[in-house]
Amino acid sequence: MKVGHVNVNSLQTLDDDAEPHKLDNLRAYIGLFNFHVLVVGESRVKGIDDACFAIANYTMYRLDRDYPNNNNQNPISYANAGGLLVYVRNDVQVDDEWESRNNPDGLQYIRLGLNFNNQQICLVAVYNPPVGGHESAMVSVDQQRNPTGGLLYDLRNIQQKVVVLGDINVDILGDENQDYQDDFGRVGFQQHVEEFTREGYGGGLTLIDHIYSKIGGNYIAEAGVIPPGHYELQGLGDHKLIYCTVV
């Protein structure tokens, strides 16, 4: 099963035909790379009907940012920031009891139970804003760096294949944030993306889009990045598309 994620920094802008112009690029990517699941981060589509973002032969799962407009008191409450769309191909079975959540620390996720080719997979699509809880939203630790909470901590005991992916906004390129990398290892997860995923302002390279699976699970056959503009597909944003194959 092939799974991808890309941060698009808003699908909200409409073209002259009142259709989101980036949607054509998403459709092209899904077809070209034959994704079973494609996660769209920072969708920013609050207030726009689902039908505007439909992709043939895929079912869409959606979570908008559930915070009011920015009142300059809460930095994570800026209007319509974040948001997730998850497109699941119709030959992948999705459990009825799927979950979506806007956490108070700003982290958003959609959790789906997927069944494909006799595989049971817990897939968690994440957007973690660069403010608010940040690292601790994924793994929180005490002063001795013993894990105490966070999303990966909560998922540590699930007895099936677990894939967590999204824009985590924690740079782990090279030795950056080594403590954080040690922390997600302590709760039993490994991270699979090794190349930079975004060129930041001023030209700095960052690895902030991640794919996690359980340590020792050995069900990620491959993982990597697809640069913006690949095969002349333009306009999805300044993040690379990340992907993995689950076996």
Side-chain angles (χ1 to χ4, degrees):
M1 186 175 76
K2 196 165 187 179
V3 180
H5 167 275
V6 62
N7 180 311
V8 299
N9 191 25
S10 182
L11 279 175
Q12 189 170 207
T13 302
L14 305 181
D15 63 18
D16 293 339
D17 297 322
E19 182 175 322
H21 66 277
K22 290 183 180 181
L23 190 60
D24 289 337
N25 295 316
L26 288 178
R27 288 173 175 145
Y29 269 110
I30 280 182
L32 183 61
F33 298 105
N34 197 29
F35 284 116
H36 296 86
V37 180
L38 182 62
V39 177
V40 178
E42 279 207 88
S43 51
R44 302 191 183 198
V45 296
K46 192 172 183 178
I48 301 177
D49 190 82
D50 282 357
C52 291
F53 306 100
I55 296 179
N57 301 316
Y58 286 79
T59 300
M60 186 182 75
Y61 299 83
R62 173 175 173 174
L63 175 64
D64 296 337
R65 171 67 72 193
D66 188 22
Y67 289 108
N69 290 348
N70 190 3
N71 56 13
N72 295 319
Q73 296 180 14
N74 183 349
I76 64 172
S77 66
Y78 44 91
N80 199 27
L84 288 164
L85 301 177
V86 182
Y87 293 94
V88 182
R89 207 168 73 183
N90 289 341
D91 59 343
V92 179
Q93 182 180 349
V94 181
D95 293 346
D96 292 336
E97 295 183 0
W98 66 282
E99 176 188 14
S100 65
R101 182 172 297 180
N102 282 298
N103 283 356
D105 56 17
L107 181 139
Q108 298 179 283
Y109 69 84
I110 295 176
R111 176 174 167 176
L112 302 169
L114 305 180
N115 295 274
F116 181 73
N117 283 351
N118 297 317
Q119 300 181 72
Q120 291 189 326
I121 301 163
C122 173
L123 185 136
V124 186
V126 179
Y127 176 66
N128 190 36
V131 290
H134 211 200
E135 292 98 329
S136 63
M138 298 297 290
V139 184
S140 59
V141 296
D142 61 19
Q143 291 183 344
Q144 289 74 43
R145 302 210 72 82
N146 297 309
T148 59
L151 179 62
L152 294 178
Y153 179 88
D154 293 341
L155 297 169
R156 70 195 187 284
N157 293 324
I158 292 179
Q159 299 302 310
Q160 59 184 199
K161 298 175 180 178
V162 180
V163 177
V164 182
L165 76 166
D167 180 0
I168 308 301
N169 271 307
V170 179
D171 181 21
I172 57 172
L173 189 65
D175 294 328
E176 289 294 317
N177 285 302
Q178 185 60 53
D179 284 344
Y180 174 73
Q181 298 182 65
D182 293 341
D183 292 341
F184 63 65
R186 288 188 182 97
V187 294
F189 283 87
Q190 57 190 322
Q191 200 286 128
H192 295 274
V193 182
E194 297 180 351
E195 303 175 50
F196 79 91
T197 63
R198 183 175 183 267
E199 183 173 347
Y201 301 112
L205 304 181
T206 59
L207 200 175
I208 60 176
D209 303 273
H210 305 169
I211 298 173
Y212 301 93
S213 71
K214 286 181 156 184
I215 292 175
N218 299 324
Y219 48 83
I220 302 297
E222 62 174 337
V225 300
I226 301 170
H230 189 75
Y231 290 102
E232 299 182 352
L233 297 173
Q234 302 291 335
L236 280 180
D238 58 0
H239 291 245
K240 292 184 179 183
L241 190 154
I242 59 174
Y243 74 94
C244 67
T245 302
V246 186
V247 297

